[in-house]
Structure formats: structure tokens, C-alpha cells
Amino acid sequence: MVGGIQWLVDQDPWQHTVVFARGIEPEELGLRMGGTPGSVVSPITDAQAWDMVLDLSTDDEDVVRVGACAGWSFAIEYGLGDGGGRLSEVSLNGVEAVGLEPSPDHPPSMFAYARDGVHVCSFGIGEEVWRWGEDPDLLLPELIAAGVLHPDGQYARPESEDYRDRDRHTLALIEARFGLLLPRDAMAHQRLPAFLIR
């Protein structure tokens, strides 16, 4: 799948929380993430979203841009937001939701999956031995097949491996498992509908 999501680790640093949802339109995803209808004159670019965040009066406000690709709606969050923390709400009423949340100041970045209002599975990218949720081992077969973990659940990759290569392996299996695609050009250059989150 050209583009996929693996390129997220190549950002310096990875700064955007990205939420994918299957079963709702992009605008509904923006609203479920706490967006206010009509709060942003959209569509806007990545640079315009960052400018808006810098102009916001408090750290309690964020901006989210939304779009769709490969059967999933996606939301790109700017600021200190909690898009990953809203995953169960996003997934209500039969929706599937995947959250990828960077943590440049306090690694690891996080993966989470929710379905129909239930937090199914989460783990740190690079800390896959610790998993939680209703079905914490949902991706264990993929983690083993990709050589991230041994069948006993312990790490299989060498400790000396560059963290970006390590994280790319995990993002590759998440990408393949869920069929995720986030075009880099859409994120960086295309104008997308946006919402202010308070």
C-alpha cells in the first residue's frame, strides 16, 4: 500500500495524533472528537492549522483536520489534544476506530483500537510486551509474525535497533491489519475540512 502510515515515524518529531474511523463520514469524526460545527473556515492546510493553534488563547483548544482514504475517515489533530482518549466515544454505534498518538516528550507513541464503544486493545509502539484492553492480544499473532515479539511474548528485535526502524515494523503490521492509509501529501499540503476543539 503506497503511503500507508509508516512514514509517520520519519517526521522530526512526529507531532500529530491521527484517528481513523470506519463507519462514519469525516465530518462526523471531527464532531465525535469534540469539534464545533462551523468553528473553522475550511478547508485549511497543515500550515494554516498550526498557525491557528499558535493563535489560540488557551492550551484547552485544538484544531482537527478531517478527510477520507481507503475506506476510513481520518482526523489529524493539532495541539495538545486528547483525540486518542476519545477513541471509545468515536467508535460508538458500530464504528471501528484506530488511534495513533505520538509522545515526543515522554515516549512511547501509542496505538489504540476501539469498536462499538469498547476499548479493545492498546500498547506502546516500542513497548508491545505490555498490552491492555478487552482483547489485549488482538494483534499478538501479527506482532509475532512481524518479528516484533517472540511467541512467548518477549521482544524479538535487538535492543540496539534504531527506534524509528523498530517503530516502523509495528506501524507496518497495524497498517496491514486494518488497511490504513494516510497520504503524506494530504496531510502536508491538501486543504481539508477542519474543526476547533474546545
Side-chain angles (χ1 to χ4, degrees), residues 5-136:
I5 59 172
Q6 299 170 54
W7 62 269
L8 289 168
V9 300
D10 296 322
Q11 297 179 79
D12 193 22
W14 174 7
Q15 299 178 350
H16 304 82
T17 293
V18 182
V19 173
F20 295 89
R22 183 162 44 196
I24 54 174
E25 296 298 315
E27 289 74 16
E28 176 65 18
L29 174 56
L31 296 174
R32 288 188 184 199
M33 289 183 65
T36 305
S39 57
V40 175
V41 177
S42 20
I44 62 173
T45 65
D46 180 72
Q48 290 171 315
W50 280 121
D51 287 344
M52 286 185 68
V53 168
L54 293 174
D55 290 340
L56 293 172
S57 58
T58 73
D59 288 342
D60 295 332
E61 297 176 309
D62 298 298
V63 174
V64 64
R65 293 169 61 224
V66 298
C69 192
W72 290 84
S73 294
F74 63 81
I76 306 161
E77 192 169 15
Y78 299 78
L80 301 176
D82 188 30
R86 296 178 188 237
L87 217 58
S88 293
E89 296 168 41
V90 168
S91 73
L92 288 171
N93 301 317
V95 172
E96 286 184 274
V98 173
L100 300 170
E101 190 168 0
S103 189
D105 298 327
H106 187 66
S109 298
M110 299 300 295
F111 157 80
Y113 173 67
R115 183 179 52 232
D116 201 19
V118 176
H119 175 196
V120 178
C121 178
S122 290
F123 53 77
I125 299 172
E127 294 186 359
E128 297 86 358
V129 294
W130 297 292
R131 300 172 305 280
W132 60 94
E134 290 287 317
D135 185 4

Side-chain angles (χ1 to χ4, degrees), residues 2 10 17 37 62 81 88 95 99 138-139 144 161 171 180 183 193 195:
V2 177
D10 296 322
T17 293
D62 298 298
S88 293
V95 172
L138 177 73
L139 297 186
I144 293 168
E161 183 177 34
L171 285 177
L180 300 177
F195 298 88

